[in-house]
Amino acid sequence: MELFWILLFSVFLRYVQTQGVYAPANAQIVHSGQTCVVKEDNISERIYTIREGDTLVLQCLVKGHPRPQVRWTKTAGSASDKFQETSIFNETLRIPNIQRVQGGRYYCKAENGVGVAAIKSIRVDVQYLDKPVLTVHQTVGDVRGNYYQEKTVFLRCTVNSNPPARFIWKRGNKPIEQSKDNGVDIYEPLYTQGETKVLKLKNLRPQDFANYTCQVSVRNVCDIPDSSVTFRLTNTTTPPALKLSVNETYVVDPGQDVTLSCEVTAGFPTPTVSWSRYPGSLPQRSMIRGGSLTLRSVTPTDAGVYNCTAVNNVGNPARRTVNLIVRSKCTRFYTYFLKRSDIQKQYILLLRLFSSFPVIPPVLSVPVGGGVVNVSEGGTSELVCLVDGKPRPPVLWSRANKDLPMPSGDWVVETRDGRLRLTNVTRDMMGAYRCQTAPYNGLNIKRRQAQVQLNVEYPPVVDPVLLDVRSQTFSTVNLRCLILKSNPNRIAGARWYRNGLPIRTPTVDPQSVPQLRFKLDTTNNGTYECRVSNGVGTSTCTFIVSAQPYNAEFYYDTPNPIRTLKNNYSYILQWTQKEPGAVDKIIGYWINVQQNRQTVLSKQITTKEPVKGVLMSYTLTDLRIPLSYEVSLTPITSFGTGNTVTRSIQYSEPYTYPRPSDHVCGFEDIRICGFTQDRSDVFDWTRQNHLTQNPKRSVNTGPDTDRSGTKEGYYMYIETSRPRQAGDRARLLSPLYNVTAARGPTGTTRTPYCVSFYYNMNGKHIGTLNVLMRVKSIATVDSAIWTLSGHQGPEWRKADAEIYPSGPFQVVFEGIRGNGFEGDIAIDDVSVTKGKCKQKDSVDKTGLYHQ
């Protein structure tokens, strides 16, 4: 049998070698649908912008054998987006009619069961511009007079858009310029939802009564047209007012037609009236005509709160509410009212009615002992209000606090016998409940009402529920179980347990905070519980007490694996120790390395005493290329071993650095020619062109286009507006040019290189642009090769710098913010070429002299 498995394994190895099995690699996301690349917020990630409603198509191109399975996931965007809850297994992701909530970061993950999965991400930015909403408001003050008593009006224009919209206010067809009209203010209010601009008309003048237009624009990004809204302001403009045709509580019989009318008593422009219902939508048989809502043949399911709303975009909307109650069983009564005229005939008629049908006014009462009802949480309770009278009216139940609905979600619940039954009672149901007679028992008298208090009892609420306690051996441990709330408040008892067994503790006042103090040793580590009871139930504070050290925390931003031999590599394992001072001194670590569940290394390593936040390292050697390994690390103290943490390591080929060439980088590609942001600076350089400029950007600074003068051409710049401060630095790093020290011209021992670029330093607050050479050797050294400060005019200018590197090097562009926001610095068309710079003043095609 053993020989059979050996032969089978050798056949499998030969199959793998002949079939060329290899893990997924070189994952790449390609966009093949509708798109408009209009902005790059972060040059270190790929971003596609697309117009809302267009079709997004992403393809994940990946190599591997067997053919990898591709899965798409999304981890950013709206929480209501269903795409986040599931994964799509397909090489092509297609989203027709994309919506704004579907923007975010999308990942494609390719797996074929061999090696490590290949993962690539892309961010999708959905562009849109809604129609603006314009509302008119009055200053807060005396509102007893007409709308313009204070003669100050605010026109508020709000719009939702991406990117941020630019606002233009017009009076008639003429744009309003705040600097030329002392009677207006234009500003952005704080704490508003969406983009908002307010036009304030101070001390209304005759010319202020006109047509006002709010025009919003995203500068034709993704071919999105401008949008606008117009409002006519007159001396008769007033907010809406409403009047209901029925009482706020309206009780009807099932089967009859009901008409609810909302009369508009004020408002210009003429308000628009709408009806809604809570909960749910309007019944299907409902009909709206003007301000009237008609319900045909109502049923108990049509009951609810009906809302009438009038809106004319002036002031706040006017609202009126009707609570419609439909009887479960139809019982008709005849009600007669005395009138001032013909009193004698009415009196005779009432006498005949009372002699034929005896009518007794309703009486409502709470039974003895029923004023307060106690119930345990989760149980069932019944609130009772006894009602008598002929005919006997139904009883309406509601919360005494008008802001709270009934447990069923309704605001009012009707009962025929006055008994309100509550099931699965929770503590938020606790409070006062009001019962009152319905106003339709045949007598036109005041409602009778009473009140019942519901008291919900529940076990104590304690803190902490679970706590991990680490301490040094032979130190004192103090455990406290806090009681946050309880009903009833009085605690019946509190007992301590260790590992499920009771602990003898001194008798203390049950109303004090339960606590346990003891000295920790090797025998009393374990799980401690404090069980607190109040007669209704028991709650537990749980403490896991140990002298065991916390786990180590791996540092993943480690150097790349180092190839030592043809098929071997070494790996620098780095970590920090979590809370090393909480327990006994850590004397070392136990390290375990496995490959395919086979242990290749298991030993104890001795290290210096860990310090919180200080990085520790250990070099793993003789690892085989291209295998991956599982590495486990366990801290060790005199008490014993601590928690174990595990991670995977694998070999990856280092990046192949470019060599200097005649290539000119104009930053047209999203990869920006391999340039990267320096992680040690304060802020980043930004890639931009004329079409992606922020409509709210600072004027009088920065270039309008790239060096070529086209709107589509890109460049890199530093944005110096808030929150940037004077002296903040942004560094952009070139790729590492892998050159070797070689003899240059006569008299030198190094080869010269020419760094050439264009710069734009336009603005009264321009700081400094530095160009540095960073040489990679035993220690990284930065040397300044070019610098310039202050305003240099709106034109693009060219600069050359000659360098003599001693080894592999990078070119660093450092922008330093000046004393104000008009200090944007830009660069374009960067090249690094072998040889000396041309030593002559020449005029390029833009008409500018080279420096």
Side-chain angles (χ1 to χ4, degrees):
M1 180 61 69
E2 182 178 355
L3 179 61
F4 168 77
W5 287 111
I6 294 175
L7 292 175
L8 182 62
F9 182 71
S10 62
V11 171
F12 173 74
L13 288 179
R14 179 169 299 178
Y15 171 79
V16 170
Q17 295 171 356
T18 57
Q19 295 300 316
V21 176
Y22 58 95
N26 300 328
Q28 183 180 6
I29 297 178
V30 178
H31 187 283
S32 57
Q34 296 169 287
T35 184
C36 46
V37 181
V38 297
K39 69 175 183 177
E40 310 297 336
D41 289 336
N42 188 336
I43 64 171
S44 63
E45 66 174 341
R46 302 184 62 196
I47 303 175
Y48 275 112
T49 54
I50 186 170
R51 177 173 175 170
E52 187 175 44
D54 287 349
T55 300
L56 175 72
V57 181
L58 299 176
Q59 289 183 310
C60 187
L61 307 181
V62 64
K63 298 179 180 179
H65 187 79
R67 182 180 179 180
Q69 185 183 40
V70 175
R71 181 179 64 176
W72 286 92
T73 56
K74 174 173 177 283
T75 60
S78 171
S80 63
D81 189 358
K82 293 184 178 180
F83 183 66
Q84 289 180 275
E85 303 171 3
T86 58
S87 298
I88 294 180
F89 292 88
N90 198 350
E91 292 181 357
T92 301
L93 171 65
R94 180 181 178 87
I95 304 179
N97 190 26
I98 191 169
Q99 300 301 304
R100 63 193 66 176
V101 297
Q102 294 174 300
R105 183 172 288 105
Y106 289 79
Y107 291 85
C108 76
K109 182 177 181 181
E111 297 178 291
N112 65 351
V114 180
V116 180
I119 302 177
K120 201 70 175 178
S121 68
I122 188 172
R123 206 178 84 192
V124 176
D125 192 14
V126 181
Q127 309 281 313
Y128 57 90
L129 176 64
D130 293 344
K131 185 174 181 61
V133 176
L134 195 155
T135 56
V136 182
H137 300 270
Q138 183 185 19
T139 54
V140 177
D142 186 5
V143 296
R144 292 172 296 175
N146 60 35
Y147 188 77
Y148 294 110
Q149 184 169 346
E150 294 187 344
K151 297 185 179 180
T152 298
V153 171
F154 299 85
L155 282 77
R156 180 188 297 262
C157 184
T158 303
V159 70
N160 293 317
S161 68
N162 184 30
R166 182 182 64 178
F167 291 79
I168 298 177
W169 281 100
K170 296 181 180 180
R171 181 188 288 119
N173 295 323
K174 184 178 179 180
I176 299 176
E177 299 183 42
Q178 183 175 350
S179 60
K180 298 181 180 180
D181 190 340
N182 295 328
V184 301
D185 277 339
I186 300 176
Y187 61 92
E188 295 182 11
L190 298 175
Y191 311 114
T192 55
Q193 183 176 3
E195 295 283 318
T196 303
K197 281 281 189 180
V198 173
L199 172 64
K200 179 181 179 182
L201 305 177
K202 301 178 292 186
N203 297 323
L204 286 176
R205 305 159 298 183
Q207 63 265 32
D208 291 332
F209 296 106
N211 288 333
Y212 289 87
T213 300
C214 174
Q215 180 177 327
V216 293
S217 171
V218 290
R219 294 192 173 184
N220 205 33
V221 168
C222 287
D223 295 327
I224 299 177
D226 295 352
S227 185
S228 64
V229 60
T230 300
F231 182 88
R232 180 172 181 79
L233 182 65
T234 69
N235 56 3
T236 60
T237 300
T238 52
L242 288 175
K243 179 181 178 182
L244 274 175
S245 63
V246 296
N247 295 328
E248 293 184 356
T249 301
Y250 192 34
V251 184
V252 298
D253 294 323
Q256 73 179 77
D257 295 344
V258 176
T259 299
L260 308 176
S261 296
C262 244
E263 178 185 355
V264 177
T265 59
F268 186 82
T270 303
T272 301
V273 179
S274 62
W275 282 91
S276 62
R277 175 191 175 207
Y278 176 84
S281 57
L282 292 174
Q284 293 183 353
R285 300 181 302 278
S286 62
M287 180 177 64
I288 299 177
R289 179 174 295 175
S292 299
L293 170 66
T294 302
L295 306 176
R296 301 292 186 186
S297 302
V298 296
T299 64
T301 59
D302 296 332
V305 178
Y306 287 79
N307 301 300
C308 172
T309 305
V311 179
N312 68 346
N313 290 342
V314 179
N316 296 321
R319 292 184 175 88
R320 291 293 181 269
T321 301
V322 178
N323 183 20
L324 181 65
I325 301 175
V326 182
R327 298 188 183 97
S328 56
K329 294 183 180 180
C330 180
T331 305
R332 297 184 180 272
F333 303 98
Y334 294 90
T335 305
Y336 296 87
F337 300 94
L338 292 176
K339 300 180 180 179
R340 293 184 178 179
S341 62
D342 207 4
I343 295 179
Q344 185 177 4
K345 293 181 181 180
Q346 293 290 339
Y347 181 70
I348 296 174
L349 183 60
L350 281 175
L351 288 178
R352 292 177 180 176
L353 177 65
F354 275 79
S355 62
S356 303
F357 304 98
V359 178
I360 301 175
V363 176
L364 190 69
S365 63
V366 177
V368 178
V372 177
V373 178
N374 296 315
V375 60
S376 297
E377 190 171 31
T380 300
S381 179
E382 185 176 73
L383 310 185
V384 180
C385 275
L386 301 178
V387 62
D388 198 3
K390 290 186 179 181
R392 188 172 71 174
V395 176
L396 304 179
W397 286 90
S398 61
R399 298 291 289 267
N401 186 345
K402 296 182 179 180
D403 296 330
L404 298 177
M406 295 291 286
S408 63
D410 300 320
W411 293 99
V412 178
V413 174
E414 178 182 336
T415 60
R416 304 300 301 178
D417 56 0
R419 298 177 181 271
L420 177 65
R421 296 170 182 83
L422 303 175
T423 59
N424 193 22
V425 177
T426 59
R427 66 191 68 177
D428 57 352
M429 296 182 186
M430 185 162 51
Y433 288 75
R434 179 184 293 113
C435 59
Q436 58 184 356
T437 57
Y440 48 86
N441 74 323
L443 295 176
N444 185 29
I445 63 175
K446 185 178 180 180
R447 294 183 180 184
R448 307 299 198 257
Q449 66 179 22
Q451 190 166 291
V452 178
Q453 182 74 26
L454 178 64
N455 182 39
V456 181
E457 299 177 338
Y458 52 87
V461 178
V462 297
D463 180 66
V465 176
L466 178 63
L467 181 63
D468 186 3
V469 179
R470 307 291 177 102
S471 183
Q472 297 179 1
T473 309
F474 306 117
S475 63
T476 300
V477 177
N478 187 19
L479 307 180
R480 291 167 55 89
C481 184
L482 299 178
I483 302 171
L484 303 180
K485 55 184 177 180
S486 173
N487 191 20
N489 291 327
R490 185 170 182 81
I491 301 301
R495 296 200 62 183
W496 286 91
Y497 295 79
R498 184 180 70 216
N499 298 330
L501 301 177
I503 302 175
R504 291 185 179 181
T505 56
T507 302
V508 296
D509 183 5
Q511 304 313 309
S512 62
V513 177
Q515 59 180 337
L516 179 66
R517 291 173 61 89
F518 60 93
K519 182 172 290 187
L520 184 65
D521 57 38
T522 57
T523 63
N524 57 7
N525 285 247
T527 301
Y528 287 76
E529 295 177 328
C530 179
R531 301 176 186 177
V532 183
S533 174
N534 66 346
V536 177
T538 301
S539 301
T540 303
C541 290
T542 303
F543 305 87
I544 302 175
V545 182
S546 173
Q548 185 181 33
Y550 287 101
N551 58 277
E553 296 175 323
F554 281 120
Y555 182 70
Y556 286 89
D557 193 13
T558 56
N560 288 326
I562 302 173
R563 182 190 291 264
T564 55
L565 298 173
K566 181 176 181 181
N567 294 317
N568 287 13
Y569 70 96
S570 63
Y571 194 93
I572 300 177
L573 192 68
Q574 295 180 308
W575 71 93
T576 57
Q577 177 61 43
K578 180 180 178 181
E579 301 296 340
V583 296
D584 299 330
K585 177 182 177 181
I586 296 177
I587 59 177
Y589 291 85
W590 191 267
I591 188 169
N592 184 275
V593 182
Q594 289 188 338
Q595 203 286 316
N596 197 20
R597 298 184 180 180
Q598 298 293 324
T599 301
V600 298
L601 175 64
S602 182
K603 61 179 292 189
Q604 178 178 341
I605 58 175
T606 303
T607 61
K608 295 181 180 180
E609 183 177 358
V611 178
K612 184 177 180 179
V614 175
L615 204 62
M616 309 177 71
S617 63
Y618 179 78
T619 303
L620 300 173
T621 59
D622 297 329
L623 304 177
R624 298 285 295 176
I625 298 174
L627 301 180
S628 60
Y629 296 84
E630 293 287 332
V631 181
S632 300
L633 196 63
T634 307
I636 304 173
T637 66
S638 57
F639 169 81
T641 58
N643 299 118
T644 300
V645 63
T646 303
R647 67 159 296 183
S648 297
I649 61 173
Q650 62 183 19
Y651 181 80
S652 59
E653 289 289 342
Y655 177 73
T656 301
Y657 299 112
R659 293 182 177 274
S661 65
D662 292 332
H663 172 69
V664 176
C665 179
F667 307 107
E668 304 303 326
D669 186 79
I670 192 172
R671 292 183 291 270
I672 58 173
C673 315
F675 279 73
T676 57
Q677 305 284 358
D678 190 348
R679 296 184 180 181
S680 63
D681 57 5
V682 179
F683 65 110
D684 290 341
W685 288 76
T686 303
R687 177 173 175 260
Q688 181 178 267
N689 66 6
H690 176 80
L691 300 177
T692 61
Q693 290 176 353
N694 191 333
K696 297 183 179 181
R697 71 185 185 96
S698 306
V699 297
N700 302 324
T701 186
D704 188 50
T705 64
D706 74 333
R707 203 273 300 182
S708 65
T710 61
K711 295 183 178 180
E712 295 78 12
Y714 283 87
Y715 56 89
M716 301 295 294
Y717 84 107
I718 59 170
E719 175 59 62
T720 56
S721 300
R722 294 180 60 188
R724 301 278 70 84
Q725 297 179 358
D728 284 358
R729 298 170 184 265
R731 295 191 189 94
L732 187 67
L733 309 180
S734 75
L736 184 65
Y737 297 106
N738 193 19
V739 300
T740 57
R743 177 169 294 276
T746 304
T748 67
T749 59
R750 300 174 184 172
T751 303
Y753 293 87
C754 182
V755 179
S756 178
F757 60 98
Y758 284 81
Y759 64 90
N760 183 288
M761 301 173 68
N762 176 34
K764 63 181 179 180
H765 300 140
I766 291 293
T768 302
L769 175 61
N770 294 325
V771 183
L772 312 173
M773 179 179 64
R774 177 172 294 181
V775 178
K776 295 286 186 177
S777 59
I778 298 177
T780 300
V781 178
D782 289 347
S783 302
I785 61 174
W786 187 92
T787 184
L788 189 63
S789 301
H791 172 65
Q792 303 298 321
E795 303 87 4
W796 284 95
R797 300 177 180 273
K798 187 180 180 184
D800 297 324
E802 200 166 283
I803 59 175
Y804 295 84
S806 59
F809 69 96
Q810 291 176 283
V811 177
V812 182
F813 289 90
E814 180 184 62
I816 303 176
R817 201 249 197 194
N819 294 324
F821 60 90
E822 294 185 7
D824 295 355
I825 299 175
I827 60 172
D828 198 5
D829 290 355
V830 179
S831 65
V832 179
T833 56
K834 187 175 182 180
K836 289 187 174 184
C837 300
K838 297 180 179 180
Q839 301 297 325
K840 65 177 181 179
D841 291 336
S842 59
V843 180
D844 63 10
K845 61 183 179 181
T846 62
L848 303 177
Y849 284 93
H850 294 175
Q851 289 188 349

